[in-house]
Amino acid sequence: MTVNVVLKITILVGTMTGTAQLCAQEMELALGDDDTLVETALMDHLDSSAFAREGVFLVCTSTYGQGDVPDNARALYEDLQAKRPDLSRVRYGVFGLGDRTYAETFNFGGKRFDELLAGLGAERIGERHTHDASSGVLPEETALEWCQDWVAKVRARLAQPA
Ligand SMILES: Cc1cc2nc3c(=O)[nH]c(=O)nc-3n(C[C@H](O)[C@H](O)[C@H](O)COP(=O)(O)O)c2cc1C
């Protein structure tokens, strides 16, 4: 008998003008099924306790300013930096949005979250995705393919011993 374990995914969205949110919504629609429970949350007003939830996390964030996380992601980012919780039970992926026109700080929003989470002991699954707004490829289209591949990697990782 095969027992299906429901995978819980929380997509945490950092966005300034809604593109990352659109990607998250597409990924939620694509991934949600009987075996996969997906919840999307804007990072606004979240703090580091967001990572106490069950399941895996997908950080879906753009980049602003000079390689900064978007304004709505700042409170969460700074709370993690200040409290430095032990995230060794956390597994996550990163879908980053940026623009290569900003060559020096390309996709630094996702990069910053990735480095911070890894520094707190969390384990990234899969490669960090780095969408380039000047590539002409729509991020919500890339997101669909990327997230299917990511979830397959998550399931493979969770099937292994911790
Ligand atoms: C004022 C401004 C600053 C930006 N700074 C960066 C940057 O430093 N690095 C980068 O890779 N992209 C940068 N971007 C590009 C955005 O991250 C990109 O357009 C993204 O798709 C926007 O997603 P959002 O609508 O979810 O915020 C910047 C865009 C704007 C308008």
Side-chain angles (χ1 to χ4, degrees), residues 34-96:
D34 290 349
D35 300 330
T36 319
L37 203 66
V38 188
E39 200 181 319
T40 300
L42 285 169
M43 289 186 193
D44 308 60
H45 313 305
L46 294 184
D47 62 21
S48 51
S49 66
F51 286 94
R53 289 172 176 225
E54 212 187 313
V56 296
F57 298 86
L58 179 51
V59 175
C60 179
T61 185
S62 63
T63 307
Y64 269 83
Q66 293 177 323
D68 301 322
V69 300
D71 287 353
N72 83 316
R74 204 178 294 160
L76 174 61
Y77 185 79
E78 288 174 359
D79 196 53
L80 287 166
Q81 275 184 321
K83 296 200 180 124
R84 300 202 63 78
D86 173 8
L87 297 186
S88 51
R89 286 179 56 255
V90 167
R91 291 185 177 124
Y92 69 96
V94 180
F95 187 90

Side-chain angles (χ1 to χ4, degrees), residues 13-23 60-68 70 72 96-109 131-134 139:
V13 181
T15 185
M16 210 79 152
T17 52
T19 319
Q21 189 177 6
L22 181 63
C23 293
C60 179
T61 185
S62 63
T63 307
Y64 269 83
Q66 293 177 323
D68 301 322
N72 83 316
L97 296 96
D99 189 327
R100 274 208 196 275
T101 312
Y102 301 86
E104 303 281 304
T105 55
F106 177 58
N107 248 285
F108 268 32
H131 180 263
D132 174 13
S134 59

